Amino acid sequence: RKAAVVNWDPVDMTVLANEQVIDGKGWRSGAAVERRELTQWFFKISDYSEELLSALDGLTNWPEKVRLMQANWIGKSRGLQFAFDMVGAPAGFETLEVYTTRPDTLMGASFAAISPDHPLAKALEADPKVAAFLAQARLGGTTAEALETAEKIGFDTGIRVKHPLDPAWELPVWIANFILMDYGTGAIFGCPAHDQRDFDFATKYRLPIKPAFLGEGMADAPMAEAYVPMKSERVTYVRGFAGAETQTGDEGVATAIAHAETNGYGKGVTKFRLRDWGVSRQRYWGCPIPVVHCPTCGVVPEAKANLPIELPYDVSFDIPGNPLDRHPTWRDCTCPKCGTKARRETDTMDTFVDSSWYYARFTAPRATTPTVAEEAAYWMNVDQYIGGVEHAILHLLYSRFFARAMHKTGHLPAAAIEPFNALFTQGMVTHEIYKTTDAAGRPVYHLPEDVTVFNVADRRIVVPGNVPPPVDMIDDVDAFIRALSDEGLLVEVIPSAKMSKSKKNVVDPMNIIAAFGADTARWFVMSDSPPERDVEWTASGAEAAFKHLSRVWALCSRIGDMPADHKGEGDEELARATARAIDEVTRGIEGFAFNKAIASLYAFTNTLAKANASTAPMKEAIRTLAKLMSPMTPHIAEEVWSYQGGAGLCAQGPWPKADPALLIDDTVTLPIQINGKRRAEISVPKDMPASEVEKLALADEDVIRFLAGQPVKKIIVVPGRIINVVV
RNA sequence: GCCCGCGUGGUGGAACGGUAGACACAGGGGACUUAAAAUCCCUCGGCUGCAAGGCUAUGCCGGUUCAAAUCCGGCCGCGGGCACCA
């Protein structure tokens, strides 16, 4: 229960918190959310923004999608940062720093705006009108919808800034609720012509809208919305100040930054969207943050000898809030620096902290230090990491950061800074949701095993309970459904979703195992969908899997009963089929295409069931089948293996290897197309030269019939694949 | 709004640019049964034909190619991620 400690810095930040989190009193759902300042602990992941972004290129065995999501999350942008000189601002606020990714639109500026959380806004808060505005701006929800629909509101401070390119030109400074303190400098210059938000704001408050550029060949005209072309697009500057009159946005930005740097009013900077990782939680169930608050020394890291700080067990959750805050003794401690009475930090760490380095801990689980150098060097990295896509950003990015931090603190070797060599994101097992409504209008969810699904006249009807109604006696289906509905017996079927206990769309694995065994459950889950996709759980699918495994067992006992000297037919073909099965199943498993591997096993089993070969190849085939099945269905595989006289466990023996000679057929069947349509096929020896194949194809009677004497323009022979005759 | 991804039978899904629908589920038919279950066999994209077969078909429209589910462009639909990020 300890975590590596990296860059402990208390940071004052504005965070969003609801009442429950702040004072532990209210726990009403939908309680008003307000914004307050809390002291929180952060990991300075932003120091690694560039590194975490550029290293994504090296993760060649990660899905492109995940790398892209991380790149977008890190969000690198290049822009200009510069300072406006202010007129009429309080003492200490001589300049206003702003950041823009479109410095080429500088001449389209019509105002400057600061975040309600900007230090300047706070400095002005003594003015009751400002205070009232800030209170209003801080209201409002934090959900995506709330933000989307939130109206833009602003307050003109009366302060003015001088335009960097023309000191005589002054712009008003507004406080605006849509400016974020967390990004850039918390202040912007507004260019309504080329930013939709600024456009909306300028329209509302009647500020000038002046284009800096027009689309190539477009005329200057009043605009209905902001003109925001891609930076790669060429535009004609009507209020340009750097570079060519017509150039791409990228060129415009580059020349504008150069202009600012040459003339000394600003500099090009790179910003990242990635914010520091706030790890403080006002909860019990996280690792305690090993920090002591001392009245004389301030914030002091706990002495190493006292680590790990363990959570107390005698806590109560009767009252909402963090029990650590109320614990009588846990909070009390002595300052590791001066020895006086002090208080422990009661915030605990985000549980993502634990999941960010467990893989490293696994390399030396019983060590008294977080990791052991030799063990970490030996075991790291994780060769293949498998998890849901929902971890694409947070967990996987935090882990990448944490591995780097652990390297810096000497807990991991340099080779382990990218902890996961290969990543596979698997889908989920889903099921539809069955819902009814109780008398009070509350939703009631039903387990799949507690409803009955049946069809009447192509209508799928679901009722609670396990007794289907007498379907034959229903003649008016609509009336029947209405009656069910009136009695509250019509179950609403909600489309398939990730299995969740609260929605009761779960199938208990224990029930499946009790009914069919664990092999069946594993076989079915892997058989239908590729693993990166979600699988819909169906009872019939599980039954089908069970039937198939029963067939395998029946086949096993039949082959087991064969007399040792039985001479059959098709020994060669069966040996080929066996080799092909080994090849296909191996490639399927190695390529994470378990559904294809299982399809091959079905085909091989069917071939074997129909075969009438001699005893030796039959036994060889069933033993191979056991081996190939063992990753999916270990129990039946071992039974079959042992029944067929296999030595030891098949899980312990080597994986079968296909004889390459048996994988190559001596003759191949080639389809013949005429103008791209399949018309015939011929069998030819596999190494027959193309010219011979051509002759044979043109001599084929179906081909002759279809050509009907037309001259052949061209003939394409793809060896081993296809022949196309063009007329 | 921005960034990704995906659209193939009734269903889950196969298909290095080369025989579309492998392998299954469901359905239909049959055998065995007094009957049912279980098991086994046949059939199963659509249209057409007694049949052999033919035509048509991978969301829609167009293009590249001897050949397109696959590559390119444009629509439509669905899903995921991000989001007052200046």
Side-chain angles (χ1 to χ4, degrees):
Chain A
R1 281 298 192 133
K2 59 189 166 181
V5 180
V6 190
N7 265 348
W8 291 101
D9 270 324
V11 180
D12 266 353
M13 291 274 304
T14 299
V15 296
L16 300 172
N18 63 36
E19 251 177 86
Q20 179 267 317
V21 170
I22 305 285
D23 59 27
K25 275 181 207 147
W27 198 317
R28 297 184 305 272
S29 77
V33 172
E34 72 182 300
R35 305 171 72 172
R36 297 226 202 145
E37 289 197 347
L38 289 177
T39 299
Q40 301 262 288
W41 293 91
F42 286 79
F43 283 153
K44 211 167 177 203
I45 190 172
S46 60
D47 274 0
Y48 291 81
S49 299
E50 180 67 60
E51 155 77 6
L52 289 169
L53 178 67
S54 57
L56 284 172
D57 290 337
L59 299 176
T60 47
N61 288 316
W62 280 41
E64 188 57 43
K65 177 195 167 103
V66 172
R67 290 193 282 162
L68 209 106
M69 279 163 69
Q70 292 211 354
N72 290 342
W73 183 265
I74 295 168
K76 184 179 182 175
S77 72
R78 177 81 183 159
L80 177 73
Q81 187 161 329
F82 67 96
F84 282 116
D85 288 329
M86 281 199 276
V87 182
F93 291 93
E94 279 69 41
T95 60
L96 180 66
E97 285 278 339
V98 299
Y99 172 73
T100 176
T101 55
R102 290 310 295 255
D104 55 325
T105 66
L106 210 42
M107 295 304 287
S110 67
F111 64 95
I114 60 172
S115 163
D117 300 311
H118 194 276
L120 177 57
K122 287 180 190 164
L124 297 170
E125 206 162 357
D127 180 344
K129 277 186 289 186
V130 175
F133 173 77
L134 293 181
Q136 196 192 345
R138 282 170 189 154
L139 283 175
T142 53
T143 61
E145 302 95 293
L147 285 173
E148 205 169 339
T149 52
E151 203 190 343
K152 289 181 177 52
I153 53 173
F155 179 87
D156 188 349
T157 61
I159 299 168
R160 305 187 70 79
V161 291
K162 295 180 172 179
H163 195 284
L165 296 171
D166 178 6
W169 178 9
E170 291 190 351
L171 304 168
V173 176
W174 288 67
I175 306 171
N177 67 337
F178 66 94
I179 311 298
L180 303 175
M181 192 58 218
D182 300 337
Y183 186 78
T185 61
I188 59 143
F189 85 84
C191 179
H194 303 298
D195 183 287
Q196 191 56 45
R197 294 156 304 178
D198 296 350
F199 185 92
D200 297 341
F201 192 75
T203 306
K204 178 166 176 181
Y205 292 106
R206 299 176 188 283
L207 296 162
I209 301 173
K210 293 183 289 186
F213 51 72
L214 302 169
E216 227 182 335
M218 274 167 57
D220 196 346
M223 295 184 289
E225 57 179 14
Y227 175 51
V228 192
M230 302 252 287
K231 274 190 229 161
S232 54
E233 234 172 88
R234 285 170 68 82
V235 291
T236 300
Y237 286 83
V238 291
R239 288 185 181 80
F241 60 95
E245 193 188 348
T246 295
Q247 57 186 345
T248 65
D250 285 316
E251 289 162 348
V253 170
T255 51
I257 290 173
H259 184 269
E261 287 181 341
T262 308
N263 294 286
Y265 61 86
K267 61 179 195 300
V269 292
T270 300
K271 296 260 183 216
F272 294 91
R273 221 179 59 94
L274 181 65
R275 296 202 269 141
D276 282 326
W277 175 11
V279 293
S280 281
R281 296 290 182 274
Q282 293 74 41
R283 303 278 185 206
Y284 167 78
W285 55 80
C287 297
I289 293 172
V291 159
V292 169
H293 296 271
C294 170
T296 46
C297 309
V299 176
V300 184
E302 179 59 279
K304 210 166 181 179
N306 295 337
L307 297 178
I309 306 302
E310 289 187 36
L311 288 169
Y313 289 92
D314 52 335
V315 286
S316 142
F317 294 95
D318 297 344
I319 312 165
N322 183 357
L324 298 179
D325 279 334
R326 300 186 302 268
H327 195 280
T329 55
W330 188 83
R331 260 175 72 150
D332 303 330
C333 63
T334 52
C335 171
K337 209 163 157 189
C338 69
T340 56
K341 275 190 164 180
R343 244 184 56 217
R344 277 193 196 296
E345 172 63 61
T346 58
D347 277 1
T348 56
M349 282 186 262
D350 183 359
T351 50
F352 271 122
V353 173
D354 308 63
S355 57
S356 293
W357 72 289
Y358 73 95
Y359 51 86
R361 177 66 186 175
F362 282 6
T363 64
R366 276 169 280 277
T368 53
T369 48
T371 55
V372 173
E374 310 85 72
E375 299 289 349
Y378 177 79
W379 289 105
M380 288 297 286
N381 294 344
V382 176
D383 297 292
Q384 179 67 58
Y385 200 37
I386 302 174
V389 230
E390 68 270 23
H391 295 125
I393 295 172
L394 294 181
H395 165 57
L396 289 165
L397 189 63
Y398 289 156
S399 294
R400 297 179 60 222
F401 157 67
F402 225 89
R404 284 168 169 79
M406 285 181 78
H407 167 57
K408 203 172 172 184
T409 55
H411 293 103
L412 279 179
I417 59 168
E418 280 301 342
F420 310 126
N421 286 352
L423 174 69
F424 186 89
T425 51
Q426 102 270 43
M428 297 168 295
V429 182
T430 64
H431 199 284
E432 47 189 23
I433 298 164
Y434 304 113
K435 185 182 130 187
T436 54
T437 307
D438 71 7
R442 286 181 299 253
V444 179
Y445 295 100
H446 303 269
L447 290 166
E449 66 213 52
D450 293 337
V451 300
T452 304
V453 181
F454 61 98
N455 292 289
V456 184
D458 290 337
R459 303 280 291 272
R460 191 158 170 271
I461 299 172
V462 183
V463 296
N466 291 313
V467 187
V471 172
D472 297 343
M473 293 168 67
I474 302 164
D475 24 61
D476 185 343
V477 178
D478 288 321
F480 176 70
I481 291 173
R482 243 177 287 123
L484 280 179
S485 179
D486 291 344
E487 289 177 58
L489 291 176
L490 189 66
V491 173
E492 185 190 345
V493 178
I494 298 165
S496 236
K498 177 182 179 174
M499 287 191 176
S500 125
K501 279 183 195 158
S502 65
K503 297 276 159 48
K504 290 202 178 180
N505 62 333
V506 291
V507 179
D508 187 342
M510 292 316 290
N511 294 347
I512 302 155
I513 290 167
F516 302 115
D519 281 348
T520 295
R522 291 164 60 93
W523 181 267
F524 167 64
V525 167
M526 283 189 283
S527 67
D528 255 23
S529 290
E532 65 272 19
R533 247 182 270 189
D534 294 348
V535 196
E536 166 83 13
W537 181 274
T538 61
S540 64
E543 271 165 40
F546 179 71
K547 282 184 196 170
H548 177 74
L549 297 183
S550 306
R551 275 195 292 270
V552 170
W553 182 243
L555 184 60
C556 170
S557 94
R558 209 185 84 214
I559 293 175
D561 292 344
M562 283 170 70
D565 57 353
H566 172 76
K567 281 276 165 226
E569 288 157 8
D571 292 2
E572 166 85 11
E573 285 90 284
L574 184 59
R576 284 185 185 281
T578 306
R580 211 161 40 238
I582 294 171
D583 184 53
E584 288 174 6
V585 172
T586 306
R587 280 189 288 130
I589 290 175
E590 284 176 353
F592 280 84
F594 305 121
N595 58 324
K596 284 194 266 174
I598 288 178
S600 301
L601 287 170
Y602 267 110
F604 180 47
T605 307
N606 290 342
T607 304
L608 184 54
K610 287 183 180 132
N612 179 28
S614 307
T615 304
M618 290 292 276
K619 284 207 180 256
E620 179 58 25
I622 188 102
R623 261 186 287 195
T624 303
L625 179 65
K627 284 254 180 191
L628 295 177
M629 285 174 70
S630 73
M632 276 74 85
T633 55
H635 306 93
I636 190 174
E638 296 296 351
E639 287 293 334
V640 171
W641 179 253
S642 142
Y643 193 88
Q644 299 297 337
L649 294 175
C650 64
Q652 288 172 326
W655 186 250
K657 253 183 102 71
D659 178 354
L662 291 174
L663 290 174
I664 299 159
D665 286 320
D666 299 335
T667 59
V668 287
T669 303
L670 291 180
I672 303 172
Q673 294 183 329
I674 292 169
N675 285 342
K677 290 199 177 195
R678 183 187 162 280
R679 296 300 183 188
E681 58 181 39
I682 49 169
S683 282
V684 298
K686 80 167 170 22
D687 43 11
M688 183 184 251
S691 56
E692 292 292 312
V693 175
E694 264 181 44
K695 273 184 216 156
L696 267 179
L698 291 173
D700 184 88
E701 58 181 72
D702 283 331
V703 172
I704 291 165
R705 184 163 57 83
F706 268 100
L707 289 178
Q710 297 173 81
V712 173
K713 281 196 199 130
K714 197 172 170 185
I715 180 160
I716 291 131
V717 178
V718 184
R721 292 231 73 109
I722 205 162
I723 303 155
N724 194 7
V725 181
V726 186
V727 293

